[in-house]
Amino acid sequence: MSEPLLSVENLKTQFFTEDGTVRAVDGISFDVHEGEIVGLVGESGAGKSVATSSLLRLVESPGEIVGGEITFKGRTLFGLEEDASGELRPRDDMLSEEEMRREIRGREIAIIFQDPMESLNPVFTVGGQLREFIELNRDLSEKEAKREAIDMLREVGIPAPETRYDEYPHQFSGGMRQRVLIAMALACQPDLIIADEPTTALDVTVEGQILEMVKELQTKYDTSFIWVTHDMSVVAEICDRVNVMYLGEIIEHATVDDLFYDTKHPYTRALLDSMPRPDETVHELNPIEGVMPEAIDPPAGCRFHSRCPDAREVCREVHPEPRDLADEGEPTHRAACVKYDAFDVGYDESRPIEGDAAGGFGAGLTRTGGEE
Amino acid sequence: MSGTDGGEPLLEVRELCKYFSEGGGMLGGVTFDREFPFLKRQRGDVRAVESVSFDIEKGETLGLVGESGCGKSTLARTVLRLLEPTSGSVYFKGEDLASLSGEPLRRKRKDMQMIFQDPQSSLDPRMKVGPIVEEPMKAHGMLDEEGREARAKELLEKVGLDPQHYNRYPHAFSGGQRQRVNLARALSVNPDFIVCDEPVSALDVSIQAQVLNTMRDLQEEFDLTYLFIAHDLSVIRHISDRVAVMYLGQMVEIADKEELFENPQHPYTRALLDAIPVPDPRSGGRTALLTGDVPSPIDPPSGCRFRTRCPSLIRPAEYDMTDAEWANVVEFQRAVKRRSFETTNRAAVRQRHFADAEPGGEAGTLLDEAIGHVAAGEWEEAERLLTESFADRSVCATEEPAYEVSPTHGESRHYAACHLVRDDAVAAGEETELASSVGERFAGSADVGEADD
């Protein structure tokens, strides 16, 4: 395959809080090729949003990107090197803050957030905001930018765009606002759009409309997407390749078909099994036991071992890095689970862990309880 | 009064309406206008729930689905009389809640509890979970202090929490665990009926499954009746016995779960079902999506409220045209309404909308006139002409639908508010039949529906 559009190597983002260091993103690697939609799935707290804001270097204090490398179209968005005294410092070829703002954000990589009301300014008209954005980023005159803005609004399916152009965000429904944001993201014809749970707050019918529209626009403009979501159904519908995140790590990576039909990691399996199905009546759901541990103090070994049905002693000790488990000639299918032979750490001989997962609801309590 | 027999409904809702008057106060309802006199004052009620009737039997779960803004939560709150109904009645164990007030109503509340969507904001952050669970018992004077504590601990265990957590604050719990505390609190007064308003939508899927399973177990153990509101049809399919579908303040279809999912009759229900994403990349995705937005409940469409988006709007009897021609006309009318294309010449409009089939005769003449308006940029004239001569003449616009069809799955009645089923209908539907049955049983009780329509 050709050179990836975006590649992320061993990215680490940490938050330095009073209670300790939260390793929100802990060494993830993935890439995005031209014209594909790559999914980033996981439950809340998995680190999906921190990962995406790290890509645009939008992480704010007390958070900090502490390691890894992000390359986009041959340019280094982030990269560190050791200087003479062994201290880490930004590499010379890393883009400056100014360059990020002027050349990357919005223009090359756009981002769509979950809550459209927070991304739109309530005191300016929708059209005005869209026009300004196009004017600034594409060096068009005000008049041209307005025409472009109205065209964009029509393109994303806003009815009567000439009239709606002069309306304010609160006069739009949730789905309409999200369409406006998509119009805004597409307006500068970026190469990559990061969509951070853009349809989560919407009704299924509206979600369907929007996904359908995104698929159409994606074919038309050949834009790549990173699609962040917690919803496996959305993944199944829209993604080409998927990364599954658990507690700051990518634990499985595969093409969408392999992920659903040749699931490797027990977490992905459990996630799929715990979903109620719309197309059949299921009598008993199989929930994942317990809750996701805190990223401030992740379990040793495999981070999922405390909830994993297949956990053995060795899982508590060995921390698996994702490895490619696909047969030769097949597309890459990486998973981080020692039960596969590729890891060869003695999983088969190890004793199963008992009782750990059964701790259930008590196990997930944080230690800041109310007993004084 | 003392208990209802099996098979008899625990809750009967009849012709329930809830209107909100729009914008009180001095500037209420005032909008700016581009033309003189620049200000417009509109008064109109938001008809959030309009003549809704349904039953819930003892021990069953009725799932209530609909898009956001369709009135699900308002209906639930009105049923519990947390909101004053505008008209209609709610019979709980045979007693009309709408006619109760003051102390008798407060005492009734013991039997009806509610669980809300956001587990965070429904728990007082400054109270420990033990007292939170005990509070409803206190309010209803149940047990003594020791007894309440013992019961609270027992309930915490029942909902899957550690009774040791009695002394913890809500912030020490995760979302799923907080929702369990809510469950325990609702159960504390030993209710018969619990309204669950989107109880799992704020939770992660893996946690959702845990909570849903617990809710089911509790239902069996305590013989609970649920009204379960959700927008997620997968969740509804998992938990419900019967399902009611709501659109813009009205019920469009009520049927057994299997029946509703396997044999839906209303085009809106079908559209909703088609829109559910299936967690399977080989499923081929969703089909035939609805277009357009939900109309305003201030001035809802006449007749069937879904008709402005309905993919199977019925052709007015006076025009003679094929189905393909009619579909093009409907499509064109909606496109004009949404101004979804740019003005061009007549030929281009024809090419765009009537390439495969264009009606002739009287309809053709009207259509030609409308296309002329569009070509001349007179969108409003075109829209008015098309709406008046086509959309408004459909039976969907002139008559309110209410039918009952014979179910192919299960035994309970299948209500469908759609004129398409008029030929298969076994009864005229909810309104006449159910209202009369209530009339007989509660002949003495006052105000059975005075909906003003």
Side-chain angles (χ1 to χ4, degrees):
Chain A
M1 213 184 268
S2 58
E3 197 63 2
L5 184 71
L6 173 90
S7 88
V8 178
E9 280 301 323
N10 203 18
L11 178 71
K12 286 184 180 170
T13 305
Q14 304 185 342
F15 288 80
F16 301 95
T17 68
E18 278 180 19
D19 297 329
T21 306
V22 180
R23 292 150 73 180
V25 171
D26 208 17
I28 61 169
S29 309
F30 67 96
D31 51 20
V32 181
H33 289 270
E34 214 160 285
E36 69 173 352
I37 302 185
V38 174
L40 201 56
V41 250
E43 294 175 89
S44 34
K48 310 182 294 289
S49 292
V50 177
T52 50
S53 35
S54 302
L55 294 183
L56 285 175
R57 296 205 351 230
L58 288 170
V59 183
E60 284 183 5
S61 171
E64 203 187 317
I65 308 175
V66 297
E69 196 177 320
I70 308 169
T71 324
F72 175 74
K73 282 170 70 181
R75 308 176 75 179
T76 310
L77 299 193
F78 186 83
L80 298 175
E81 63 185 2
E82 271 184 36
D83 64 8
S85 57
E87 292 271 304
L88 285 174
R89 62 178 183 86
R91 285 210 317 251
D92 292 336
D93 57 346
M94 182 170 128
L95 296 186
S96 69
E97 196 50 40
E98 174 83 12
E99 286 170 313
M100 279 300 285
R101 196 166 56 227
R102 286 192 169 274
E103 293 165 27
I104 300 296
R105 292 182 201 141
R107 209 172 264 213
E108 296 274 358
I109 306 179
I111 187 160
I112 305 169
F113 292 104
Q114 175 172 357
D115 184 353
M117 205 54 204
E118 276 181 20
S119 318
L120 290 171
N121 191 327
V123 300
F124 292 103
T125 61
V126 165
Q129 296 182 54
L130 186 55
R131 196 209 68 228
E132 187 189 14
F133 184 77
I134 295 173
E135 220 179 303
L136 287 177
N137 281 302
R138 282 175 55 185
D139 303 319
L140 292 176
S141 74
E142 188 173 330
K143 227 177 171 177
E144 287 168 324
K146 177 168 179 179
R147 190 158 357 103
E148 186 67 29
I150 291 177
D151 279 348
M152 254 3 263
L153 288 177
R154 183 175 294 117
E155 180 104 70
V156 295
I158 305 274
E162 285 92 354
T163 339
R164 302 305 295 252
Y165 181 88
D166 290 316
E167 288 184 2
Y168 290 88
H170 74 266
Q171 289 166 298
F172 282 62
S173 69
M176 287 290 159
R177 281 182 215 138
Q178 205 55 279
R179 284 169 190 269
V180 171
L181 285 194
I182 292 173
M184 214 177 253
L186 282 169
C188 294
Q189 292 156 1
D191 288 321
L192 176 67
I193 294 180
I194 300 173
D196 191 353
E197 305 244 16
T199 58
T200 305
L202 306 174
D203 280 312
V204 274
T205 47
V206 184
E207 179 182 81
Q209 291 170 4
I210 292 205
L211 292 186
E212 203 56 41
M213 184 189 84
V214 166
K215 275 192 267 183
E216 267 168 38
L217 294 173
Q218 200 248 355
T219 336
K220 188 166 167 190
Y221 293 101
D222 204 27
T223 316
S224 307
F225 278 86
I226 295 179
W227 202 273
V228 180
T229 181
H230 68 276
D231 189 340
M232 280 293 191
S233 324
V234 172
V235 169
E237 191 166 353
I238 200 163
C239 296
D240 299 311
R241 289 188 298 136
V242 194
N243 297 292
V244 183
M245 279 189 86
Y246 184 78
L247 212 55
E249 298 180 321
I250 290 180
I251 49 95
E252 184 160 5
H253 164 90
T255 62
V256 70
D257 200 72
D258 281 351
L259 190 83
F260 284 82
Y261 284 95
D262 184 22
T263 315
K264 299 277 191 209
H265 200 283
Y267 173 63
T268 317
R269 180 77 265 149
L271 207 54
L272 289 170
D273 285 344
S274 66
M275 273 188 305
R277 298 281 298 211
D279 47 352
E280 54 199 85
T281 301
V282 181
H283 285 286
E284 190 76 0
L285 294 174
N286 299 309
I288 307 180
E289 299 286 345
V291 295
M292 196 186 291
E294 302 270 324
I296 204 163
D297 182 23
C302 169
R303 294 191 171 178
F304 186 57
H305 84 252
S306 58
R307 301 168 75 192
C308 182
D310 301 336
R312 303 210 175 160
E313 290 289 345
V314 62
C315 300
R316 241 195 291 230
E317 291 142 24
V318 180
H319 178 255
E321 288 295 328
R323 287 189 197 178
D324 193 354
L325 304 173
D327 296 329
E328 209 148 315
E330 297 284 307
T332 325
H333 191 157
R334 283 196 297 271
C337 180
V338 296
K339 77 174 182 183
Y340 293 99
D341 293 341
F343 286 87
D344 193 25
V345 288
Y347 174 84
D348 291 335
E349 297 82 51
S350 186
R351 273 193 310 117
I353 298 180
E354 275 166 30
D356 233 40
F361 316 112
L365 277 175
T366 50
R367 248 161 276 135
T368 46
E371 302 119 309
E372 278 99 80
Chain B
M1 248 319 293
S2 57
T4 33
D5 300 320
E8 207 166 291
L10 179 77
L11 186 85
E12 290 166 274
V13 175
R14 291 293 169 268
E15 299 286 314
L16 192 68
C17 297
K18 175 68 198 172
Y19 298 165
F20 293 100
S21 59
E22 193 205 20
M26 195 169 69
L27 294 174
V30 173
T31 49
F32 290 97
D33 197 352
R34 281 176 186 280
E35 287 152 32
F36 189 78
F38 305 113
L39 285 179
K40 250 197 312 205
R41 188 158 189 151
Q42 278 184 330
R43 293 237 73 139
D45 285 337
V46 177
R47 289 144 83 177
V49 172
E50 189 148 359
S51 70
V52 165
S53 306
F54 62 91
D55 291 344
I56 306 182
E57 268 166 36
K58 201 163 165 44
E60 83 167 344
T61 303
L62 179 71
L64 182 60
V65 265
E67 291 172 279
S68 37
C70 74
K72 305 184 294 285
S73 295
T74 307
L75 174 62
R77 286 174 163 79
T78 315
V79 163
L80 291 184
R81 263 209 72 185
L82 296 173
L83 290 172
E84 202 66 29
T86 307
S87 65
S89 349
V90 178
Y91 298 97
F92 181 73
K93 292 185 182 171
E95 196 173 350
D96 189 1
L97 294 178
S99 66
L100 287 180
S101 63
E103 189 56 22
L105 178 67
R106 200 187 79 85
R107 259 184 270 130
K108 267 271 168 203
R109 296 219 184 279
K110 187 168 163 294
D111 299 331
M112 311 171 288
Q113 291 290 311
M114 186 154 182
I115 298 169
F116 298 92
Q117 174 169 6
D118 184 357
Q120 171 81 56
S121 59
S122 46
L123 296 173
D124 184 346
R126 299 201 288 186
M127 273 173 91
K128 294 179 179 175
V129 301
I132 286 177
V133 176
E134 284 170 27
E135 204 168 33
M137 296 190 262
K138 232 172 175 173
H140 289 285
M142 281 172 71
L143 307 169
D144 56 3
E145 209 163 302
E146 247 167 65
R148 287 200 291 262
E149 183 172 335
R151 183 169 165 80
K153 285 186 171 159
E154 189 192 319
L155 283 167
L156 286 177
E157 192 167 6
K158 284 261 189 282
V159 298
L161 292 167
D162 189 340
Q164 305 291 328
H165 298 158
Y166 180 88
N167 275 325
R168 295 198 179 188
Y169 287 98
H171 73 86
F173 294 85
S174 68
Q177 289 167 328
R178 285 193 201 120
Q179 205 54 293
R180 289 169 189 276
V181 175
N182 273 320
L183 265 172
R185 174 172 63 184
L187 289 173
S188 66
V189 286
N190 211 359
D192 299 305
F193 178 52
I194 301 185
V195 172
C196 318
D197 191 355
E198 303 261 12
V200 294
S201 11
L203 309 175
D204 275 316
V205 263
S206 65
I207 308 298
Q208 224 176 52
Q210 293 173 355
V211 174
L212 286 175
N213 281 347
T214 308
M215 289 185 72
R216 240 193 193 185
D217 296 343
L218 291 171
Q219 177 169 38
E220 267 165 41
E221 185 169 349
F222 294 98
D223 196 17
L224 295 169
T225 307
Y226 290 139
L227 173 62
F228 194 101
I229 302 176
H231 66 275
D232 184 340
L233 280 145
S234 321
V235 169
I236 287 285
R237 178 157 203 173
H238 176 67
I239 194 112
S240 313
D241 298 311
R242 283 190 310 136
V243 181
V245 183
M246 223 176 151
Y247 182 78
L248 204 58
Q250 290 185 324
M251 287 293 177
V252 297
E253 189 157 7
I254 305 175
D256 247 15
K257 171 174 67 179
E258 284 302 318
E259 169 82 2
L260 190 103
F261 278 87
E262 300 300 334
N263 184 26
Q265 291 298 324
H266 200 285
Y268 179 64
T269 314
R270 277 193 221 128
L272 268 188
L273 292 176
D274 285 343
I276 322 176
V278 179
D280 181 349
R282 293 184 191 169
S283 74
R286 324 179 203 206
T287 46
L289 289 162
L290 280 182
T291 52
D293 272 346
V294 185
S296 158
I298 296 174
D299 184 20
S302 63
C304 169
R305 290 186 174 188
F306 183 56
R307 70 182 168 89
T308 54
R309 300 167 78 195
C310 185
S312 10
L313 190 71
I314 298 170
R315 179 168 53 85
E318 61 256 49
Y319 299 118
D320 186 26
M321 56 176 116
T322 64
D323 288 347
E325 287 164 359
W326 171 240
N328 283 345
V329 171
V330 172
E331 192 62 33
F332 180 59
Q333 184 248 327
R334 287 176 188 166
V336 168
K337 193 162 186 220
R338 291 166 62 83
R339 315 270 195 276
S340 64
F341 55 96
E342 277 176 278
T343 327
T344 36
N345 56 36
R346 284 164 176 255
V349 173
R350 283 223 154 76
Q351 180 59 29
R352 194 186 143 98
H353 287 281
F354 298 101
D356 55 337
E358 185 178 336
E362 196 199 338
T365 320
L366 285 163
L367 205 59
D368 193 58
E369 196 182 329
I371 294 175
H373 283 307
V374 170
E378 300 159 347
W379 289 96
E380 260 138 62
E381 283 81 0
E383 184 185 333
R384 197 177 316 124
L385 180 69
L386 286 168
T387 312
E388 278 170 12
S389 32
F390 297 106
D392 285 356
R393 300 220 181 154
S394 165
V395 62
C396 302
T398 52
E399 278 173 51
E400 265 194 52
Y403 300 100
E404 204 165 290
V405 294
S406 49
T408 52
H409 299 260
E411 263 146 37
S412 71
R413 343 169 29 155
H414 186 157
Y415 168 79
C418 178
H419 288 301
L420 284 174
V421 302
R422 63 198 151 169
D423 296 334
D424 310 322
V426 289
E430 205 91 5
E431 279 177 35
T432 45
E433 217 208 304
L434 292 187
S436 65
S437 78
V438 169
E440 281 157 32
R441 212 176 308 147
F442 303 101
S445 61
D447 59 3
V448 179
E450 41 190 53
D452 47 339
D453 41 13

Short mmCIF file of all heavy atoms in Angstrom, two decimals, chain B residues 225-253:
data_model
loop_
_atom_site.label_atom_id
_atom_site.label_comp_id
_atom_site.label_asym_id
_atom_site.label_seq_id
_atom_site.Cartn_x
_atom_site.Cartn_y
_atom_site.Cartn_z
N THR B 225 -44.36 -3.69 37.27
CA THR B 225 -44.84 -3.31 35.95
C THR B 225 -44.02 -2.11 35.51
O THR B 225 -43.85 -1.16 36.26
CB THR B 225 -46.32 -2.90 36.04
OG1 THR B 225 -47.03 -3.96 36.66
CG2 THR B 225 -46.89 -2.63 34.67
N TYR B 226 -43.46 -2.18 34.29
CA TYR B 226 -42.63 -1.08 33.82
C TYR B 226 -43.27 -0.37 32.64
O TYR B 226 -43.82 -1.01 31.74
CB TYR B 226 -41.28 -1.59 33.31
CG TYR B 226 -40.30 -2.11 34.34
CD1 TYR B 226 -39.56 -3.27 34.07
CD2 TYR B 226 -40.07 -1.44 35.52
CE1 TYR B 226 -38.62 -3.75 34.97
CE2 TYR B 226 -39.12 -1.93 36.44
CZ TYR B 226 -38.41 -3.08 36.15
OH TYR B 226 -37.49 -3.55 37.04
N LEU B 227 -43.13 0.95 32.65
CA LEU B 227 -43.28 1.70 31.40
C LEU B 227 -41.87 2.13 31.06
O LEU B 227 -41.26 2.92 31.78
CB LEU B 227 -44.19 2.92 31.58
CG LEU B 227 -44.28 3.87 30.38
CD1 LEU B 227 -44.85 3.16 29.17
CD2 LEU B 227 -45.13 5.09 30.70
N PHE B 228 -41.32 1.56 30.00
CA PHE B 228 -39.90 1.71 29.72
C PHE B 228 -39.71 2.59 28.49
O PHE B 228 -40.04 2.21 27.38
CB PHE B 228 -39.29 0.33 29.48
CG PHE B 228 -37.81 0.30 29.52
CD1 PHE B 228 -37.14 -0.15 30.65
CD2 PHE B 228 -37.06 0.72 28.43
CE1 PHE B 228 -35.76 -0.18 30.69
CE2 PHE B 228 -35.68 0.70 28.46
CZ PHE B 228 -35.03 0.24 29.60
N ILE B 229 -39.20 3.79 28.71
CA ILE B 229 -39.01 4.72 27.60
C ILE B 229 -37.58 4.62 27.08
O ILE B 229 -36.64 4.60 27.87
CB ILE B 229 -39.26 6.16 28.07
CG1 ILE B 229 -40.65 6.27 28.64
CG2 ILE B 229 -39.06 7.14 26.93
CD1 ILE B 229 -40.97 7.60 29.21
N ALA B 230 -37.42 4.53 25.79
CA ALA B 230 -36.09 4.51 25.22
C ALA B 230 -36.18 4.95 23.78
O ALA B 230 -37.22 4.84 23.15
CB ALA B 230 -35.48 3.12 25.30
N HIS B 231 -35.08 5.43 23.27
CA HIS B 231 -35.09 5.75 21.84
C HIS B 231 -34.35 4.65 21.09
O HIS B 231 -34.36 4.60 19.88
CB HIS B 231 -34.46 7.11 21.58
CG HIS B 231 -33.00 7.14 21.90
ND1 HIS B 231 -32.54 7.38 23.16
CD2 HIS B 231 -31.93 6.92 21.14
CE1 HIS B 231 -31.22 7.31 23.15
NE2 HIS B 231 -30.83 7.04 21.95
N ASP B 232 -33.72 3.75 21.85
CA ASP B 232 -32.92 2.69 21.24
C ASP B 232 -33.78 1.44 21.07
O ASP B 232 -34.14 0.78 22.03
CB ASP B 232 -31.73 2.40 22.17
CG ASP B 232 -30.79 1.39 21.58
OD1 ASP B 232 -31.21 0.63 20.68
OD2 ASP B 232 -29.64 1.33 22.01
N LEU B 233 -34.08 1.11 19.84
CA LEU B 233 -34.99 -0.02 19.60
C LEU B 233 -34.38 -1.36 19.99
O LEU B 233 -35.11 -2.30 20.28
CB LEU B 233 -35.41 -0.04 18.14
CG LEU B 233 -36.52 0.98 17.85
CD1 LEU B 233 -36.36 1.57 16.48
CD2 LEU B 233 -37.88 0.32 17.99
N SER B 234 -33.07 -1.46 20.01
CA SER B 234 -32.46 -2.73 20.43
C SER B 234 -32.74 -2.97 21.90
O SER B 234 -33.05 -4.09 22.31
CB SER B 234 -30.95 -2.71 20.21
OG SER B 234 -30.62 -2.07 19.03
N VAL B 235 -32.65 -1.90 22.70
CA VAL B 235 -32.93 -2.02 24.12
C VAL B 235 -34.41 -2.36 24.31
O VAL B 235 -34.77 -3.24 25.10
CB VAL B 235 -32.56 -0.71 24.85
CG1 VAL B 235 -33.09 -0.72 26.27
CG2 VAL B 235 -31.06 -0.50 24.84
N ILE B 236 -35.26 -1.68 23.58
CA ILE B 236 -36.70 -1.93 23.66
C ILE B 236 -37.01 -3.38 23.32
O ILE B 236 -37.78 -4.06 24.00
CB ILE B 236 -37.46 -0.98 22.70
CG1 ILE B 236 -37.45 0.44 23.24
CG2 ILE B 236 -38.87 -1.46 22.44
CD1 ILE B 236 -38.39 0.69 24.37
N ARG B 237 -36.36 -3.88 22.30
CA ARG B 237 -36.62 -5.25 21.89
C ARG B 237 -36.19 -6.23 22.97
O ARG B 237 -36.79 -7.28 23.16
CB ARG B 237 -35.90 -5.58 20.59
CG ARG B 237 -36.10 -7.00 20.17
CD ARG B 237 -35.90 -7.21 18.70
NE ARG B 237 -36.63 -8.40 18.29
CZ ARG B 237 -36.77 -8.79 17.06
NH1 ARG B 237 -36.28 -8.07 16.09
NH2 ARG B 237 -37.43 -9.88 16.77
N HIS B 238 -35.17 -5.86 23.69
CA HIS B 238 -34.69 -6.75 24.72
C HIS B 238 -35.61 -6.79 25.93
O HIS B 238 -35.90 -7.85 26.47
CB HIS B 238 -33.28 -6.33 25.16
CG HIS B 238 -32.75 -7.15 26.29
ND1 HIS B 238 -32.45 -8.48 26.13
CD2 HIS B 238 -32.51 -6.85 27.57
CE1 HIS B 238 -32.03 -8.96 27.28
NE2 HIS B 238 -32.06 -7.99 28.17
N ILE B 239 -36.12 -5.64 26.35
CA ILE B 239 -36.79 -5.58 27.65
C ILE B 239 -38.31 -5.65 27.60
O ILE B 239 -38.94 -6.03 28.58
CB ILE B 239 -36.32 -4.30 28.41
CG1 ILE B 239 -36.69 -4.34 29.90
CG2 ILE B 239 -36.86 -3.04 27.79
CD1 ILE B 239 -35.51 -4.47 30.79
N SER B 240 -38.92 -5.29 26.47
CA SER B 240 -40.37 -5.09 26.48
C SER B 240 -41.18 -6.35 26.21
O SER B 240 -40.70 -7.29 25.58
CB SER B 240 -40.77 -4.07 25.42
OG SER B 240 -39.96 -2.96 25.48
N ASP B 241 -42.44 -6.32 26.67
CA ASP B 241 -43.40 -7.34 26.27
C ASP B 241 -44.25 -6.79 25.12
O ASP B 241 -44.52 -7.47 24.15
CB ASP B 241 -44.33 -7.69 27.44
CG ASP B 241 -43.55 -8.27 28.58
OD1 ASP B 241 -42.74 -9.19 28.32
OD2 ASP B 241 -43.70 -7.80 29.71
N ARG B 242 -44.68 -5.54 25.30
CA ARG B 242 -45.39 -4.86 24.22
C ARG B 242 -44.68 -3.55 23.94
O ARG B 242 -43.98 -3.03 24.79
CB ARG B 242 -46.85 -4.60 24.61
CG ARG B 242 -47.72 -5.84 24.52
CD ARG B 242 -49.18 -5.50 24.68
NE ARG B 242 -49.40 -4.67 25.85
CZ ARG B 242 -50.19 -3.60 25.84
NH1 ARG B 242 -50.81 -3.23 24.75
NH2 ARG B 242 -50.35 -2.90 26.95
N VAL B 243 -44.89 -3.02 22.75
CA VAL B 243 -44.19 -1.80 22.38
C VAL B 243 -45.18 -0.78 21.83
O VAL B 243 -46.07 -1.14 21.06
CB VAL B 243 -43.12 -2.08 21.31
CG1 VAL B 243 -42.37 -0.81 20.94
CG2 VAL B 243 -42.14 -3.13 21.79
N ALA B 244 -45.04 0.46 22.26
CA ALA B 244 -45.84 1.55 21.72
C ALA B 244 -44.91 2.53 21.02
O ALA B 244 -43.86 2.86 21.53
CB ALA B 244 -46.57 2.26 22.85
N VAL B 245 -45.30 2.94 19.82
CA VAL B 245 -44.48 3.87 19.06
C VAL B 245 -45.18 5.21 19.01
O VAL B 245 -46.37 5.29 18.72
CB VAL B 245 -44.26 3.35 17.62
CG1 VAL B 245 -43.33 4.28 16.85
CG2 VAL B 245 -43.70 1.95 17.64
N MET B 246 -44.44 6.25 19.32
CA MET B 246 -45.02 7.58 19.38
C MET B 246 -44.41 8.47 18.32
O MET B 246 -43.22 8.37 18.02
CB MET B 246 -44.71 8.16 20.76
CG MET B 246 -45.86 8.86 21.39
SD MET B 246 -45.39 9.39 23.03
CE MET B 246 -46.45 10.79 23.15
N TYR B 247 -45.24 9.32 17.73
CA TYR B 247 -44.74 10.31 16.78
C TYR B 247 -45.46 11.61 17.01
O TYR B 247 -46.70 11.64 16.96
CB TYR B 247 -44.93 9.82 15.34
CG TYR B 247 -44.39 10.78 14.32
CD1 TYR B 247 -43.02 10.84 14.06
CD2 TYR B 247 -45.22 11.64 13.61
CE1 TYR B 247 -42.51 11.73 13.14
CE2 TYR B 247 -44.72 12.53 12.69
CZ TYR B 247 -43.36 12.57 12.44
OH TYR B 247 -42.85 13.45 11.53
N LEU B 248 -44.74 12.65 17.27
CA LEU B 248 -45.29 14.00 17.40
C LEU B 248 -46.52 14.04 18.31
O LEU B 248 -47.56 14.56 17.95
CB LEU B 248 -45.65 14.53 16.01
CG LEU B 248 -45.69 16.05 15.84
CD1 LEU B 248 -44.36 16.67 16.18
CD2 LEU B 248 -46.06 16.41 14.41
N GLY B 249 -46.37 13.44 19.48
CA GLY B 249 -47.43 13.55 20.48
C GLY B 249 -48.53 12.52 20.39
O GLY B 249 -49.44 12.52 21.22
N GLN B 250 -48.50 11.68 19.39
CA GLN B 250 -49.56 10.68 19.27
C GLN B 250 -48.99 9.26 19.15
O GLN B 250 -47.88 9.07 18.69
CB GLN B 250 -50.42 10.98 18.03
CG GLN B 250 -51.25 12.21 18.21
CD GLN B 250 -52.18 12.44 17.05
OE1 GLN B 250 -51.82 12.17 15.91
NE2 GLN B 250 -53.35 12.95 17.33
N MET B 251 -49.81 8.30 19.53
CA MET B 251 -49.43 6.90 19.35
C MET B 251 -49.67 6.53 17.89
O MET B 251 -50.76 6.78 17.37
CB MET B 251 -50.31 6.00 20.19
CG MET B 251 -50.02 6.06 21.66
SD MET B 251 -48.41 5.37 22.00
CE MET B 251 -48.35 5.67 23.75
N VAL B 252 -48.68 5.95 17.25
CA VAL B 252 -48.95 5.52 15.89
C VAL B 252 -49.14 4.01 15.80
O VAL B 252 -49.80 3.52 14.91
CB VAL B 252 -47.85 5.96 14.90
CG1 VAL B 252 -47.78 7.47 14.80
CG2 VAL B 252 -46.51 5.38 15.26
N GLU B 253 -48.56 3.28 16.74
CA GLU B 253 -48.72 1.83 16.68
C GLU B 253 -48.46 1.23 18.06
O GLU B 253 -47.54 1.65 18.76
CB GLU B 253 -47.75 1.24 15.66
CG GLU B 253 -47.98 -0.23 15.37
CD GLU B 253 -47.43 -0.67 14.00
OE1 GLU B 253 -46.76 0.14 13.35
OE2 GLU B 253 -47.68 -1.82 13.62
#
